[in-house]
mmCIF file of all heavy atoms in Angstrom:
data_model
loop_
_atom_site.group_PDB
_atom_site.id
_atom_site.type_symbol
_atom_site.label_atom_id
_atom_site.label_comp_id
_atom_site.label_asym_id
_atom_site.label_seq_id
_atom_site.Cartn_x
_atom_site.Cartn_y
_atom_site.Cartn_z
ATOM 1 N N GLU X 906 14.977 73.382 8.907
ATOM 2 C CA GLU X 906 13.795 74.020 8.653
ATOM 3 C C GLU X 906 13.643 75.350 9.456
ATOM 4 O O GLU X 906 13.076 76.305 8.920
ATOM 5 C CB GLU X 906 12.673 73.178 8.958
ATOM 6 C CG GLU X 906 11.243 73.539 8.577
ATOM 7 C CD GLU X 906 10.200 72.513 8.832
ATOM 8 O OE1 GLU X 906 10.436 71.533 9.594
ATOM 9 O OE2 GLU X 906 9.199 72.562 8.203
ATOM 10 N N ALA X 907 14.007 75.394 10.588
ATOM 11 C CA ALA X 907 14.002 76.459 11.435
ATOM 12 C C ALA X 907 14.568 77.786 10.832
ATOM 13 O O ALA X 907 14.197 78.913 11.266
ATOM 14 C CB ALA X 907 14.468 76.161 12.913
ATOM 15 N N ALA X 908 15.654 77.549 10.048
ATOM 16 C CA ALA X 908 16.274 78.753 9.367
ATOM 17 C C ALA X 908 15.469 79.550 8.466
ATOM 18 O O ALA X 908 15.785 80.605 8.205
ATOM 19 C CB ALA X 908 17.639 78.101 8.706
ATOM 20 N N PHE X 909 14.386 78.877 8.094
ATOM 21 C CA PHE X 909 13.525 79.520 7.030
ATOM 22 C C PHE X 909 12.130 79.787 7.660
ATOM 23 O O PHE X 909 11.109 80.379 6.816
ATOM 24 C CB PHE X 909 13.344 78.687 5.778
ATOM 25 C CG PHE X 909 14.569 78.654 4.968
ATOM 26 C CD1 PHE X 909 15.495 77.598 5.109
ATOM 27 C CD2 PHE X 909 14.965 79.551 4.063
ATOM 28 C CE1 PHE X 909 16.716 77.520 4.397
ATOM 29 C CE2 PHE X 909 15.995 79.500 3.295
ATOM 30 C CZ PHE X 909 16.943 78.565 3.383
ATOM 31 N N GLU X 910 12.024 79.862 8.924
ATOM 32 C CA GLU X 910 10.810 80.354 9.565
ATOM 33 C C GLU X 910 10.694 81.881 9.346
ATOM 34 O O GLU X 910 11.540 82.580 9.651
ATOM 35 C CB GLU X 910 10.754 80.038 11.117
ATOM 36 C CG GLU X 910 10.547 78.581 11.318
ATOM 37 C CD GLU X 910 10.613 78.245 12.902
ATOM 38 O OE1 GLU X 910 10.675 79.285 13.663
ATOM 39 O OE2 GLU X 910 10.529 77.140 13.237
ATOM 40 N N SER X 911 9.509 82.268 8.763
ATOM 41 C CA SER X 911 9.288 83.653 8.446
ATOM 42 C C SER X 911 10.280 84.315 7.460
ATOM 43 O O SER X 911 10.478 85.491 7.320
ATOM 44 C CB SER X 911 9.314 84.541 9.828
ATOM 45 O OG SER X 911 8.425 84.062 10.639
ATOM 46 N N VAL X 912 10.955 83.447 6.635
ATOM 47 C CA VAL X 912 11.923 83.839 5.693
ATOM 48 C C VAL X 912 11.443 83.315 4.258
ATOM 49 O O VAL X 912 11.170 82.101 4.105
ATOM 50 C CB VAL X 912 13.317 83.341 5.924
ATOM 51 C CG1 VAL X 912 14.270 83.758 4.870
ATOM 52 C CG2 VAL X 912 13.824 83.890 7.226
ATOM 53 N N ASP X 913 11.272 84.234 3.338
ATOM 54 C CA ASP X 913 10.951 83.831 1.902
ATOM 55 C C ASP X 913 12.274 83.504 1.207
ATOM 56 O O ASP X 913 12.965 84.584 0.987
ATOM 57 C CB ASP X 913 10.161 85.036 1.209
ATOM 58 C CG ASP X 913 9.674 84.616 -0.218
ATOM 59 O OD1 ASP X 913 10.091 83.537 -0.692
ATOM 60 O OD2 ASP X 913 8.988 85.347 -0.794
ATOM 61 N N PRO X 914 12.477 82.306 0.784
ATOM 62 C CA PRO X 914 13.701 82.053 0.163
ATOM 63 C C PRO X 914 13.937 82.927 -1.136
ATOM 64 O O PRO X 914 15.135 83.228 -1.500
ATOM 65 C CB PRO X 914 13.619 80.479 -0.288
ATOM 66 C CG PRO X 914 12.603 79.945 0.705
ATOM 67 C CD PRO X 914 11.723 81.044 0.955
ATOM 68 N N ARG X 915 12.880 83.351 -1.739
ATOM 69 C CA ARG X 915 13.008 84.123 -2.905
ATOM 70 C C ARG X 915 13.626 85.478 -2.595
ATOM 71 O O ARG X 915 14.373 86.041 -3.398
ATOM 72 C CB ARG X 915 11.680 84.369 -3.617
ATOM 73 C CG ARG X 915 11.036 83.155 -4.223
ATOM 74 C CD ARG X 915 9.628 83.372 -4.742
ATOM 75 N NE ARG X 915 8.828 83.806 -3.597
ATOM 76 C CZ ARG X 915 7.536 83.870 -3.636
ATOM 77 N NH1 ARG X 915 6.834 83.855 -4.814
ATOM 78 N NH2 ARG X 915 6.679 84.097 -2.581
ATOM 79 N N SER X 916 13.496 85.900 -1.356
ATOM 80 C CA SER X 916 14.085 87.190 -0.975
ATOM 81 C C SER X 916 15.555 87.159 -0.936
ATOM 82 O O SER X 916 16.258 88.163 -0.754
ATOM 83 C CB SER X 916 13.455 87.722 0.343
ATOM 84 O OG SER X 916 13.823 86.933 1.413
ATOM 85 N N LEU X 917 16.054 86.015 -0.719
ATOM 86 C CA LEU X 917 17.527 85.698 -0.563
ATOM 87 C C LEU X 917 18.274 85.513 -1.940
ATOM 88 O O LEU X 917 19.364 85.254 -1.966
ATOM 89 C CB LEU X 917 17.772 84.606 0.338
ATOM 90 C CG LEU X 917 17.057 84.523 1.697
ATOM 91 C CD1 LEU X 917 17.312 83.248 2.490
ATOM 92 C CD2 LEU X 917 17.534 85.708 2.477
ATOM 93 N N GLN X 918 17.472 85.461 -3.007
ATOM 94 C CA GLN X 918 18.008 85.192 -4.365
ATOM 95 C C GLN X 918 18.742 83.809 -4.393
ATOM 96 O O GLN X 918 19.754 83.779 -5.016
ATOM 97 C CB GLN X 918 18.947 86.361 -4.863
ATOM 98 C CG GLN X 918 18.189 87.765 -4.858
ATOM 99 C CD GLN X 918 19.172 88.855 -5.303
ATOM 100 O OE1 GLN X 918 19.186 89.867 -4.579
ATOM 101 N NE2 GLN X 918 19.965 88.654 -6.407
ATOM 102 N N LEU X 919 18.119 82.842 -3.669
ATOM 103 C CA LEU X 919 18.806 81.572 -3.670
ATOM 104 C C LEU X 919 18.686 80.846 -4.901
ATOM 105 O O LEU X 919 17.612 80.638 -5.517
ATOM 106 C CB LEU X 919 18.090 80.743 -2.596
ATOM 107 C CG LEU X 919 18.536 80.879 -1.192
ATOM 108 C CD1 LEU X 919 17.682 80.213 -0.198
ATOM 109 C CD2 LEU X 919 19.966 80.396 -0.930
ATOM 110 N N GLU X 920 19.847 80.325 -5.431
ATOM 111 C CA GLU X 920 19.888 79.561 -6.659
ATOM 112 C C GLU X 920 19.532 77.964 -6.384
ATOM 113 O O GLU X 920 19.995 77.461 -5.399
ATOM 114 C CB GLU X 920 21.326 79.535 -7.359
ATOM 115 C CG GLU X 920 21.486 80.879 -7.977
ATOM 116 C CD GLU X 920 22.955 80.778 -8.744
ATOM 117 O OE1 GLU X 920 23.808 79.956 -8.390
ATOM 118 O OE2 GLU X 920 23.079 81.510 -9.800
ATOM 119 N N GLY X 921 18.720 77.423 -7.143
ATOM 120 C CA GLY X 921 18.542 76.127 -6.941
ATOM 121 C C GLY X 921 17.813 75.538 -5.715
ATOM 122 O O GLY X 921 17.919 74.424 -5.241
ATOM 123 N N PHE X 922 17.221 76.496 -5.028
ATOM 124 C CA PHE X 922 16.513 76.128 -3.771
ATOM 125 C C PHE X 922 15.195 75.402 -4.009
ATOM 126 O O PHE X 922 14.375 75.930 -4.761
ATOM 127 C CB PHE X 922 16.344 77.256 -2.891
ATOM 128 C CG PHE X 922 15.718 77.105 -1.538
ATOM 129 C CD1 PHE X 922 16.524 76.646 -0.499
ATOM 130 C CD2 PHE X 922 14.351 77.222 -1.338
ATOM 131 C CE1 PHE X 922 15.996 76.322 0.731
ATOM 132 C CE2 PHE X 922 13.927 76.845 -0.109
ATOM 133 C CZ PHE X 922 14.526 76.420 0.905
ATOM 134 N N ASN X 923 14.917 74.295 -3.205
ATOM 135 C CA ASN X 923 13.641 73.657 -3.209
ATOM 136 C C ASN X 923 13.498 72.927 -1.848
ATOM 137 O O ASN X 923 14.488 73.042 -1.050
ATOM 138 C CB ASN X 923 13.488 72.605 -4.373
ATOM 139 C CG ASN X 923 14.599 71.616 -4.410
ATOM 140 O OD1 ASN X 923 14.869 70.941 -3.322
ATOM 141 N ND2 ASN X 923 15.322 71.467 -5.497
ATOM 142 N N SER X 924 12.437 72.263 -1.654
ATOM 143 C CA SER X 924 12.105 71.650 -0.364
ATOM 144 C C SER X 924 13.192 70.724 0.014
ATOM 145 O O SER X 924 13.277 70.345 1.291
ATOM 146 C CB SER X 924 10.740 71.064 -0.411
ATOM 147 O OG SER X 924 10.587 70.048 -1.260
ATOM 148 N N GLN X 925 13.809 70.103 -0.845
ATOM 149 C CA GLN X 925 14.886 69.075 -0.644
ATOM 150 C C GLN X 925 16.180 69.587 -0.136
ATOM 151 O O GLN X 925 17.150 68.881 0.266
ATOM 152 C CB GLN X 925 15.029 68.138 -1.856
ATOM 153 C CG GLN X 925 13.818 67.387 -2.231
ATOM 154 C CD GLN X 925 13.303 66.506 -0.941
ATOM 155 O OE1 GLN X 925 13.926 65.664 -0.486
ATOM 156 N NE2 GLN X 925 12.144 66.787 -0.595
ATOM 157 N N LYS X 926 16.245 70.908 -0.030
ATOM 158 C CA LYS X 926 17.430 71.592 0.615
ATOM 159 C C LYS X 926 17.169 71.719 2.170
ATOM 160 O O LYS X 926 18.037 72.248 2.786
ATOM 161 C CB LYS X 926 17.723 72.887 0.044
ATOM 162 C CG LYS X 926 18.135 72.824 -1.493
ATOM 163 C CD LYS X 926 19.457 72.065 -1.719
ATOM 164 C CE LYS X 926 20.658 72.902 -1.274
ATOM 165 N NZ LYS X 926 21.904 72.221 -1.412
ATOM 166 N N ILE X 927 15.992 71.350 2.585
ATOM 167 C CA ILE X 927 15.688 71.361 4.003
ATOM 168 C C ILE X 927 16.185 70.027 4.625
ATOM 169 O O ILE X 927 15.716 69.043 4.241
ATOM 170 C CB ILE X 927 14.239 71.722 4.227
ATOM 171 C CG1 ILE X 927 13.812 73.091 3.648
ATOM 172 C CG2 ILE X 927 13.919 71.616 5.724
ATOM 173 C CD1 ILE X 927 14.497 74.223 4.255
ATOM 174 N N LEU X 928 16.953 70.034 5.668
ATOM 175 C CA LEU X 928 17.427 68.942 6.329
ATOM 176 C C LEU X 928 16.350 67.967 6.696
ATOM 177 O O LEU X 928 16.532 66.771 6.529
ATOM 178 C CB LEU X 928 18.373 69.304 7.525
ATOM 179 C CG LEU X 928 18.870 68.174 8.372
ATOM 180 C CD1 LEU X 928 19.737 67.275 7.582
ATOM 181 C CD2 LEU X 928 19.605 68.755 9.591
ATOM 182 N N GLU X 929 15.437 68.461 7.412
ATOM 183 C CA GLU X 929 14.349 67.545 7.916
ATOM 184 C C GLU X 929 13.558 66.796 6.828
ATOM 185 O O GLU X 929 13.132 65.735 6.940
ATOM 186 C CB GLU X 929 13.296 68.288 8.814
ATOM 187 C CG GLU X 929 13.935 68.904 10.138
ATOM 188 C CD GLU X 929 14.633 70.134 10.046
ATOM 189 O OE1 GLU X 929 14.956 70.629 8.880
ATOM 190 O OE2 GLU X 929 15.007 70.673 11.053
ATOM 191 N N ASN X 930 13.347 67.483 5.736
ATOM 192 C CA ASN X 930 12.686 67.007 4.587
ATOM 193 C C ASN X 930 13.538 65.757 4.003
ATOM 194 O O ASN X 930 12.914 64.729 3.571
ATOM 195 C CB ASN X 930 12.442 67.943 3.513
ATOM 196 C CG ASN X 930 11.431 69.015 3.852
ATOM 197 O OD1 ASN X 930 10.638 68.722 4.871
ATOM 198 N ND2 ASN X 930 11.345 70.070 3.201
ATOM 199 N N ARG X 931 14.781 65.980 3.974
ATOM 200 C CA ARG X 931 15.715 64.918 3.298
ATOM 201 C C ARG X 931 15.714 63.696 4.227
ATOM 202 O O ARG X 931 15.677 62.481 3.814
ATOM 203 C CB ARG X 931 17.049 65.408 3.066
ATOM 204 C CG ARG X 931 17.183 66.358 1.885
ATOM 205 C CD ARG X 931 16.830 65.608 0.577
ATOM 206 N NE ARG X 931 17.875 64.599 0.192
ATOM 207 C CZ ARG X 931 17.558 63.370 -0.187
ATOM 208 N NH1 ARG X 931 16.406 62.921 -0.446
ATOM 209 N NH2 ARG X 931 18.652 62.523 -0.387
ATOM 210 N N LEU X 932 15.749 64.060 5.544
ATOM 211 C CA LEU X 932 15.800 62.993 6.545
ATOM 212 C C LEU X 932 14.418 62.099 6.483
ATOM 213 O O LEU X 932 14.594 60.825 6.504
ATOM 214 C CB LEU X 932 15.925 63.457 8.003
ATOM 215 C CG LEU X 932 17.286 63.793 8.485
ATOM 216 C CD1 LEU X 932 17.220 64.527 9.864
ATOM 217 C CD2 LEU X 932 18.173 62.505 8.641
ATOM 218 N N ALA X 933 13.390 62.856 6.382
ATOM 219 C CA ALA X 933 12.043 62.068 6.334
ATOM 220 C C ALA X 933 12.028 61.250 5.032
ATOM 221 O O ALA X 933 11.341 60.159 5.081
ATOM 222 C CB ALA X 933 10.915 63.115 6.319
#
C-alpha cells in the first residue's frame, strides 16, 4: 500500500489495477 501513497494509479497507465493488487488488502 505504501507504494501508492500520493500516487494516482491512473497516471501510471496501469492495466487491470484494482484494490486487490494491494498486498495488505489481499492479506486482510
